[in-house]
Amino acid sequence: MSVCSSSSSGSWSSTKAWIVHGIVAGVAIAVAIGARVYLGPPKKFRSRVVGIIPARFDSSRFQGKPLVQILGKPMIQRTWERAKLATTLDHVVVATDDEKIRECCRSFGADVIMTSESCRNGTERCSEAIQKLEKKYDIVVNIQGDEPLIEPEIIDGIVKALQEAPDAVFSTAVTSLKLEDAFDPNRVKCVVDNSGYAIYFSRGLIPFNKSGKANPQFPYMLHLGIQSYDTGFLKIYPQLEPTPLQLEEDLEQLKVLENGYKMKVIKVDHEAHGVDAPEDVEKIESLMLQRNLS
C-alpha cells in the first residue's frame, strides 16, 4: 500500500507541475495572440518610412559615445549624414534622453525627439519616439548610432525586404562572419531558413558542430545591428513580456521570434565597423580616410 501511495503522490505532483506549466504557457500564448490581433495583417503597401537613430549618453562601456569626435564631427552627426543618403527614408530623426545630445544634433540640423530614460533598448526608444512624431509612418528603421560607416544601401535593403514580406513585422541584415570572431560574444550570429526568415540569434557560434570548433568551410552569418519594424508591431513591442531566450542571450530580437512573429533577413556584403569602445575610434578614422569619407 505504501508503494502505491508513493506512486500516486508522485503522479499527482507531476500532474500539478504540468497544470502550472500549462497555465504559464497559456498566459504567454494569450499575450502573443492578443498582440497579433492588435497588429493584424498589413492592409496596404507599407510605403511611408522613417529612420530613427536612438542615442543615449550613459553607457557602461563608453560614456558619451554619440558625441565622440570622428575626424572633426560628432559620431551621431556622421551616422545621421549617412542615413540621409538612403532613398527609402522619408524622414530621419534622432531619439535621445540627453540634453547634450539634443543640442548637438540641433546644431547640425537634425530633428530630435526626446524620450524617457527608462527605455531599456533602442527598440523601446524607437517605439516611444514614433508615437511622438506628428506624421504617421508604416515602417520604422532603427539605425544604430555607433555605426558611422553604415551604408545607405543596407538601409534601403531592409526596408524593401519588409515591404516585400507582408507576413513579417521585422527585418534585419546579416553579413559573413570572420572566423576570428566565431566565439566573440559581442558578435551576434544568426541562422535563417530557406525562405530568408530568421530562425535564431545567438552570442555563441551557431550552428555548432560536434568537434566544438569553427568550421572554416561553413558560411556563418554575423548579425548587423540595423533593423526595421512594422509600425503597428513596434507600438505593441514594449507590452510583450521579456522571454526566456531573450533574457538568457540578452538579445531583443529573440523576444520577437519567441512570440511567433516572422523576421525577414537579407544577406549583404559589409564590413561591420561599430564603435564599441574608445579604441575603435582610431580604426574608424583610418577607414574613413582610406575611403575618402572625411
Side-chain angles (χ1 to χ4, degrees), residues 212-269:
K213 300 177 182 178
N215 178 3
Q217 305 304 317
F218 191 88
Y220 299 105
M221 290 186 289
L222 170 70
H223 179 231
L224 301 177
I226 187 168
Q227 44 211 25
S228 71
Y229 327 90
D230 178 280
T231 301
F233 170 73
L234 184 59
K235 289 178 180 178
I236 59 95
Y237 173 87
Q239 300 172 24
L240 298 174
E241 290 295 321
T243 52
L245 296 176
Q246 174 203 2
L247 294 173
E248 184 64 19
E249 296 261 17
D250 190 22
L251 295 174
E252 59 184 289
Q253 309 92 274
L254 292 176
K255 183 166 76 168
V256 181
L257 297 181
E258 283 183 89
N259 276 291
Y261 293 99
K262 301 193 76 171
M263 185 182 303
K264 192 70 173 177
V265 179
I266 63 169
K267 176 75 180 295
V268 299
D269 184 15

Side-chain angles (χ1 to χ4, degrees), residues 277-288:
E279 54 267 26
D280 293 328
V281 174
E282 187 176 345
K283 299 175 187 176
I284 292 289
E285 289 182 330
S286 296
L287 284 168
M288 292 183 68

